[in-house]
Amino acid sequence: MARLFGTDGVRGIANDSLTPELAYHLGRAAAYIFGQNKEHPTFLIGRDTRRSGTMLADILAAGIASAGGDCYMVGVIPTPAIAYLTRTHHMDAGVMISASHNPFEYNGIKFFDGFGYKLPDETEDKIEECMLKDERAALQSRPTGAAIGTISAWTDLQQEYADFICKSTDIDLSGLKVVHDGANGSASVLGPEILKRLGAEVIAIHHEPNGVNINEKCGSTHLESLKETVLKYGADVGIANDGDADRCLAVDEKGQEMDGDQIMLLCAMKLKAEGRLKQDTVVGTVMSNIGFHKALKEMGCKTEITAVGDRYVLEKMRKDGYSLGGEQSGHIIFLDYNTTGDGLLTAVQLLSIMKQQNKPLSELAGLMTRYPQILKNVRVQTKSGWEDNNLIMAAISAGEEELGDEGRILVRPSGTEPLIRVMAEGPDLDQLERIVDDIAVVVEHEMGPSK
């Protein structure tokens, strides 16, 4: 049987592969695992704006309460806020109901431990094992009377998180005109509010969630409307979060995209100047651009590389004591502030750098030469076995031979969707497009839905 937990919690199409029954049993199992040393383990539960969020949050809470856990329902809030608030309020666990940047029909259940960190594989496996036993044989006891858990609302924590973000800088953002794209998700209200509190002039777009428009042609995965709005209003910068606001990408005053690598580079420069970049090292992933590594080296910094996924970046940071790391996709972790990628914290840090440097974002972004990267997603029937397919391996080898030392190819399965991602990087864009297309055609033929 396939593992229930993926790279970022349990995800699927709500009411299809991610059923209310699964959420209920997952809640019971989590209460048992987190409550082994206490009668009423405490859970902080938040969600994004998806239509299915209330259904899954409520039934997960019912499962937790049925096993003795006490649930505090926060409502719509960013994922990093749950991580932060779980820690500061000494909860036993935090839960976020979200599928991040995925389309609205998907949803997910992501757990944090009492310190605000995503769970290690071993803890997830214990929850899954306990859940399956409970679901099949009802092995876990059911408390009665005063031992039953409770469910209560705690809906003023959004402001507590906003205060935390605002206190992460002492720089007045007055004079900056900012377009904020809330992706019709968790940052739709908090994003503009925080930036206005810090003094920025804010033009808010995609900040009217209706349950089905989260991430729809907006947010960090669709920057087109943000670019248009920045140019239309002559803004200094555009900020894009994703549906649960753990990502941040930017658009400069010319409408040019700025990815997580470029944002991390600027943040590293600031932290190094302040003596706060621990070991003068930034943690990236295998997707980090060649230009990212070169620019950091020129600044006298080192890079460490992990697999794709902010959990792997975080593991490396905690293990070796680094303070900054993240992904090209905009998950950026400032470990001195928070325990997970935080899109609003990242936005405030980036805007603070702009104000401090008193330079347009396009000039600051120019500190890094971004090598062309082509990424193609191939929808597949299964993500298993592609590494053992001789035709796919031959296509990859042919591409690598053609690029030589001037570039690289990376083929990997998505951690959250039935996709295999084909990426090539190098100096010649036309060459990259041809190589990626050649590999993608083979992957689709060998592994595609019709195979």
Side-chain angles (χ1 to χ4, degrees):
M1 178 181 165
R3 190 171 185 267
L4 181 65
F5 284 87
T7 56
D8 209 15
V10 179
R11 284 195 189 172
I13 294 177
N15 224 24
D16 182 359
S17 56
L18 182 56
T19 63
E21 293 84 355
L22 188 153
Y24 173 79
H25 286 286
L26 195 56
R28 281 182 52 77
Y32 179 76
I33 294 299
F34 284 104
Q36 291 185 71
N37 299 315
K38 61 195 307 184
E39 186 178 17
H40 294 295
T42 53
F43 289 78
L44 196 68
I45 302 176
R47 60 182 175 86
D48 66 19
T49 58
R50 291 163 210 270
R51 186 180 183 90
S52 59
T54 50
M55 174 185 74
L56 291 170
D58 289 350
I59 200 159
L60 177 86
I64 292 170
S66 79
D70 290 340
C71 301
Y72 298 90
M73 313 301 283
V74 184
V76 173
I77 199 165
T79 289
I82 289 294
Y84 169 74
L85 294 163
T86 296
R87 181 175 83 250
T88 57
H89 285 281
H90 309 291
M91 294 281 153
D92 291 304
V95 192
M96 183 67 184
I97 310 296
S98 173
S100 189
H101 62 287
N102 292 144
F104 89 95
E105 60 267 25
Y106 286 84
N107 217 325
I109 300 171
K110 177 164 39 183
F111 289 91
F112 294 92
D113 68 17
F115 299 100
Y117 290 111
K118 292 179 182 178
L119 305 186
D121 289 346
E122 311 86 76
T123 306
E124 289 180 340
D125 289 341
K126 287 178 183 175
I127 292 174
E128 186 170 339
E129 181 183 354
C130 179
M131 185 198 82
L132 292 174
K133 285 181 181 177
D134 184 50
E135 189 174 3
R136 289 170 179 165
L139 294 180
Q140 307 303 337
S141 63
R142 290 183 178 272
T144 58
I148 294 174
T150 60
I151 303 171
S152 54
W154 197 357
T155 55
D156 59 351
L157 290 182
Q158 286 83 350
Q159 288 308 309
E160 193 173 317
Y161 170 71
D163 292 343
F164 155 69
I165 296 295
C166 289
K167 287 174 185 172
S168 72
T169 185
D170 56 3
I171 294 175
D172 184 351
L173 300 183
S174 298
L176 284 182
K177 184 187 287 188
V178 182
V179 180
H180 179 265
D181 179 348
N184 292 314
S186 293
S188 296
V189 174
L190 279 181
E193 177 190 309
I194 287 168
L195 299 180
K196 287 175 184 175
R197 276 178 60 178
L198 292 171
E201 177 186 346
V202 181
I203 299 158
I205 62 173
H206 306 301
H207 63 112
E208 297 179 341
N210 61 14
V212 300
N213 61 359
I214 186 171
N215 299 318
E216 185 182 9
K217 297 181 180 176
C218 60
S220 61
T221 51
H222 300 279
L223 297 175
E224 296 78 16
S225 60
L226 180 60
K227 294 178 188 177
E228 291 172 7
T229 310
V230 166
L231 294 173
K232 177 181 176 181
Y233 290 98
D236 298 297
V237 57
I239 295 293
N241 296 126
D242 64 336
D244 68 334
D246 63 354
R247 296 188 186 196
C248 173
L249 295 182
V251 168
D252 70 20
E253 78 284 358
K254 296 178 180 179
Q256 300 170 131
E257 294 181 20
M258 188 173 189
D259 66 18
D261 286 345
Q262 294 169 295
I263 295 171
M264 269 196 295
L265 180 69
L266 292 181
C267 293
M269 178 179 69
K270 179 176 186 288
L271 290 173
K272 188 174 190 294
E274 295 170 352
R276 295 196 295 134
L277 184 64
K278 292 176 182 173
Q279 302 178 57
D280 287 342
T281 299
V282 182
V283 180
T285 75
V286 291
M287 287 297 291
S288 295
N289 197 278
I290 294 172
F292 171 72
H293 300 287
K294 290 189 173 184
L296 280 167
K297 188 176 181 180
E298 288 172 8
M299 282 169 45
C301 296
K302 301 183 286 291
T303 53
E304 292 280 357
I305 300 303
T306 74
V308 171
D310 60 332
R311 66 183 296 174
Y312 303 115
V313 172
L314 179 60
E315 281 175 12
K316 184 68 175 174
M317 293 174 71
R318 292 181 69 189
K319 178 176 175 287
D320 295 330
Y322 302 128
S323 53
L324 179 66
E327 298 187 280
Q328 195 180 63
S329 60
H331 284 125
I332 299 177
I333 303 169
F334 297 85
L335 202 47
D336 289 340
Y337 291 101
N338 207 351
T339 52
T340 190
D342 193 323
L344 292 175
L345 176 63
T346 300
V348 167
Q349 298 309 304
L350 177 62
L351 297 176
S352 297
I353 292 167
M354 288 179 64
K355 192 67 190 293
Q356 197 173 40
Q357 295 284 327
N358 195 26
K359 292 177 181 177
L361 191 56
S362 59
E363 184 179 338
L364 292 171
L367 292 172
M368 172 183 149
T369 300
R370 189 163 54 173
Y371 279 59
Q373 256 183 3
I374 297 293
L375 175 66
K376 193 162 190 175
N377 294 321
V378 183
R379 190 159 292 276
V380 293
Q381 185 175 350
T382 175
K383 294 182 283 187
S384 303
W386 66 270
E387 312 98 316
D388 301 319
N389 185 292
N390 291 333
L391 290 177
I392 294 174
M393 289 300 106
I396 294 170
S397 295
E400 288 175 335
E401 187 175 343
E402 184 176 343
L403 282 175
D405 296 333
E406 291 299 307
R408 64 188 180 110
I409 292 170
L410 179 67
V411 179
R412 64 180 185 87
S414 165
T416 57
E417 298 177 86
L419 303 171
I420 288 179
R421 307 190 195 280
V422 182
M423 187 276 282
E425 184 178 62
D428 187 329
L429 187 61
D430 291 339
Q431 180 189 40
L432 296 177
E433 288 178 340
R434 177 173 46 76
I435 288 171
V436 166
D437 284 344
D438 288 348
I439 297 171
V441 165
V442 177
V443 171
E444 186 171 24
H445 181 268
E446 296 298 300
M447 309 293 292
S450 60
K451 179 69 179 172

